[in-house]
Amino acid sequence: MANYEGPIFDADNHFYEAHDAFTRHVPKEMQARCVQWVELERNGRQYQLVGGRMDPEGTNGNPTFDPISKPGVLRELFQGNPDGRTGMELIRSSLEPLRPEYMDREARLAVMDEQGLDGAWIFPTQAVLMEQQIQHDTGAALVMFDAFNKWVSEDWGFNFKDRIFTAPYITLADVDWACDQLDKALEQDARLVVMRPSAVFTRQGPRNPGDPMFDPFWARVNEAGITVAIHIGSTKHDNNGYDRRSHDMLALGPRPTIANFHRSRNINDFLASLVFDLLFERFPNLRIVSVENGSEFLPGLLRALGKSKHRTPKHYTDDPVDSFREHVWINPFWEDDMVEIIELMGADHVTYGSDWPHMEGMEHPRDILSELDGISEADQRLVLHDNAAALNTPRPA
């Protein structure tokens, strides 16, 4: 089949956070409860204290991002690993100084022109990992993410020249705060917001994201017609008690772990809970896109939703499988079976994200064209451009 030759709308790009991304707008009296920088004598490198503690899970061992691994250096690892090298070996062989386009929007636009990108959703690298570390202190989490979203707005803009679209980070830990953040983002022409696939840890304890206590937020999303991206993030659910000292989500080490064996458990449970809580029945204009969670979970989830309809028929008004397919878009990993996902979801509910410039993504966004055997050119256009472009366009209720 012919390959699509038009522009791409990349539904998963990333920036690397500046040194003051989590501190610039944090009041002095709150800094000790949020993020502080420290330098370790043993190696002279800088690290972050979050809530007064060094990251106990090793979530980000390189918070300065300099040096940084080259884009796509782990592709051979996920493509069968023919040379049998570990992820860490591949990374150490590719370190280089931080490039301007990773942290500067004008430099990024120039690179996007070279890459043939019409537009891109550009997500945080570190912020999606931070909520886990601070969820025990809701007040500090709200201050920290408010400060972070202000930094994103200043340094990148939520809509920069109708090409770069960044996403403010939303936690539902306080629904009034979440509504306020959403309103501020909408005033600045944000086209999407991002949150992690996790239960919501509130002052009253953990809650499902579709719990009615969060309806004011979802009602505002429904009204505005903005897309909500659920991006892979750090949660203790990855290990579920196994391999308690290992948080190797990317399979970088010499042995497999539960964390990297089934990374999609988080998104599976998150999306299932939205359906079980009838969120889409209450708010029929919602659009949810799963980003960088892969798609291996999808066949099993759809089968489980079908069984749920038969086992609890009085619970649903809408068919849960049909509701899922109407309101959810899936962004597979490049190494996933794209043909299968299109068959399950329909070509109009699948998007493409290169994860550029991260090490586990594509070296060049257009490298995906070599992975699309068996997909028609018309469907390639939908997946590579049109679907994300449509999700990027507000659809007010």
Side-chain angles (χ1 to χ4, degrees):
M1 294 185 180
N3 269 341
Y4 170 68
E5 297 181 353
I8 289 174
F9 193 114
D10 198 322
D12 185 27
N13 264 214
H14 288 270
F15 54 67
Y16 289 113
E17 285 89 339
H19 193 274
D20 65 347
F22 297 98
T23 60
R24 184 187 298 173
H25 293 290
V26 174
K28 185 176 181 179
E29 65 273 14
M30 288 292 296
Q31 290 174 1
R33 290 170 59 187
C34 296
V35 174
Q36 296 170 296
W37 285 92
V38 295
E39 184 174 305
L40 298 188
E41 290 185 5
R42 69 172 184 263
N43 59 12
R45 296 187 62 188
Q46 290 188 315
Y47 296 89
Q48 292 172 335
L49 298 179
V50 182
R53 300 180 299 171
M54 189 75 75
D55 176 6
E57 299 182 1
T59 301
N60 185 11
N62 182 25
T64 65
F65 305 114
D66 197 6
I68 193 67
S69 55
K70 294 179 181 178
V73 300
L74 296 182
R75 187 174 183 185
E76 68 177 76
L77 181 73
F78 297 118
Q79 206 168 29
N81 199 14
D83 297 327
R85 293 195 287 174
T86 69
M88 290 308 302
E89 289 172 338
L90 293 168
I91 291 169
R92 292 188 183 110
S93 68
S94 74
L95 294 176
E96 64 177 4
L98 198 61
R99 301 182 193 175
E101 58 265 29
Y102 298 167
M103 303 185 78
D104 179 82
R105 60 189 185 181
E106 292 286 1
R108 186 60 158 264
L109 274 181
V111 171
M112 287 172 59
D113 289 340
E114 296 170 2
Q115 295 171 335
L117 298 187
D118 181 48
W121 289 341
I122 302 188
F123 294 104
T125 292
Q126 190 176 5
V128 294
L129 308 175
M130 300 286 277
E131 188 172 355
Q132 176 66 35
Q133 300 175 59
I134 203 169
Q135 68 184 21
H136 63 282
D137 186 347
T138 299
L142 304 183
V143 169
M144 186 182 75
F145 287 120
D146 175 68
F148 173 75
N149 290 338
K150 288 176 180 175
W151 170 82
V152 175
S153 175
E154 289 178 357
D155 279 31
W156 285 87
F158 296 134
N159 176 355
F160 184 62
K161 297 186 177 180
D162 284 326
R163 299 277 306 283
I164 288 176
F165 303 94
T166 63
Y169 187 90
I170 300 292
T171 174
L172 293 176
D174 182 296
V175 69
D176 292 334
W177 179 92
C179 290
D180 181 64
Q181 291 292 308
L182 176 59
D183 286 340
K184 290 177 179 176
L186 291 171
E187 290 171 0
Q188 298 175 71
D189 199 23
R191 304 302 179 87
L192 74 163
V193 298
V194 63
M195 59 178 65
R196 66 172 179 161
S198 171
V200 182
F201 288 80
T202 72
R203 294 181 178 92
Q204 295 78 38
R207 297 288 188 274
N208 289 359
D211 189 293
M213 71 181 294
F214 305 123
D215 278 4
F217 173 80
W218 293 117
R220 187 75 184 94
V221 172
N222 187 82
E223 177 187 10
I226 191 173
T227 295
V228 177
I230 313 301
H231 192 287
I232 191 172
S234 177
T235 75
K236 288 194 174 182
H237 193 30
D238 295 315
N239 287 13
N240 203 24
Y242 297 95
D243 297 325
R244 67 181 180 83
R245 290 174 294 180
S246 176
H247 300 273
D248 180 10
M249 292 177 61
L250 293 178
L252 302 182
R255 64 177 293 271
T257 71
I258 292 298
N260 67 45
F261 179 69
H262 190 36
R263 287 190 286 160
S264 58
R265 184 185 301 114
N266 294 320
I267 190 64
N268 179 88
D269 294 355
F270 184 96
L271 294 176
S273 76
L274 298 185
V275 177
F276 295 160
D277 287 338
L278 307 179
L279 186 70
F280 302 133
E281 293 189 14
R282 298 200 302 279
F283 303 108
N285 195 41
L286 292 185
R287 295 183 293 177
I288 306 292
V289 57
S290 168
V291 178
E292 205 176 326
N293 296 292
S295 57
E296 289 184 348
F297 69 94
L298 187 61
L301 175 57
L302 291 177
R303 284 194 297 270
L305 290 177
K307 292 177 181 178
S308 174
K309 180 183 75 168
H310 297 299
R311 292 171 180 171
T312 57
K314 295 181 181 179
H315 177 66
Y316 301 103
T317 300
D318 300 335
D319 183 290
V321 175
D322 291 344
S323 181
F324 182 93
R325 288 184 171 133
E326 178 182 353
H327 295 281
V328 175
W329 280 254
I330 299 295
N331 186 327
F333 291 136
W334 62 264
E335 68 267 26
D336 289 348
D337 187 342
M338 189 83 76
V339 172
E340 177 189 37
I341 304 310
I342 288 175
E343 290 175 350
L344 290 171
M345 292 297 295
D348 59 340
H349 275 249
V350 181
T351 64
Y352 164 63
S354 69
D355 197 28
W356 198 89
H358 285 175
M359 56 193 175
E360 67 270 26
M362 290 290 194
E363 181 179 4
H364 302 288
R366 299 188 78 85
D367 288 348
I368 190 62
L369 295 175
S370 65
E371 308 287 341
L372 300 179
D373 289 346
I375 301 174
S376 70
E377 187 175 359
D379 285 351
Q380 290 180 41
R381 173 182 289 276
L382 288 172
V383 171
L384 299 180
H385 184 275
D386 292 358
N387 293 338
L391 288 168
N392 194 61
T393 303
R395 189 182 68 182

